[in-house]
Amino acid sequence: MLRAYCLIILFVAFAPMPVHAKTLTAREVLDEMLNRTIVTRQFGMNVTMRYRPGGVVSAKALIGSVDGIWRVKGNKICSTFPSGPAKARAASASCA
C-alpha cells in the first residue's frame, strides 16, 4: 500500500503542467514571422514561406514558387497569391 502511495505521489509530482496560451497581437505575430522561414503543410505538400517587410510573401513548394501579398487584419496575418493552388485565397476565412 505504501508503495502504491509513493508511486502516485511521483506521478503527480512529474505530471506536465498545463500551458496557458494567449492570443498574440498582429505586431507580436509579425515580430515572430518577418524574415524567417516558415514551413507548413498545405494541399498535401510542404510549403516554405517567407514573409518580408513591405507586404510580400514568398511561397516555395515541390511544384514551384510564387510571390504574393500579406496584410494584417486585426490579430491575423492574411496572404493572397496571384497563381497556384491558393490563388486569390486568403490564409483564413476571417481574412476575406
Side-chain angles (χ1 to χ4, degrees), residues 30 34 50-58 67-72 78-80:
L30 287 175
L34 282 180
R50 190 161 183 92
Y51 289 81
R52 298 186 309 232
V56 176
V57 58
S58 298
D67 284 344
I69 58 171
W70 63 264
R71 69 186 189 288
V72 176
C78 306
S79 305
T80 307

Side-chain angles (χ1 to χ4, degrees), residues 13-28:
F14 290 106
M17 297 299 292
V19 176
H20 299 285
K22 74 172 190 112
T23 301
L24 299 176
T25 66
R27 180 76 254 158
E28 291 170 326

Side-chain angles (χ1 to χ4, degrees), residues 36-72:
R36 293 198 181 148
T37 301
I38 299 169
V39 179
T40 184
R41 187 142 180 93
Q42 300 288 326
F43 308 105
M45 67 185 101
N46 287 337
V47 179
T48 303
M49 301 180 72
R50 190 161 183 92
Y51 289 81
R52 298 186 309 232
V56 176
V57 58
S58 298
K60 292 181 184 178
L62 185 62
I63 60 173
S65 62
V66 64
D67 284 344
I69 58 171
W70 63 264
R71 69 186 189 288
V72 176

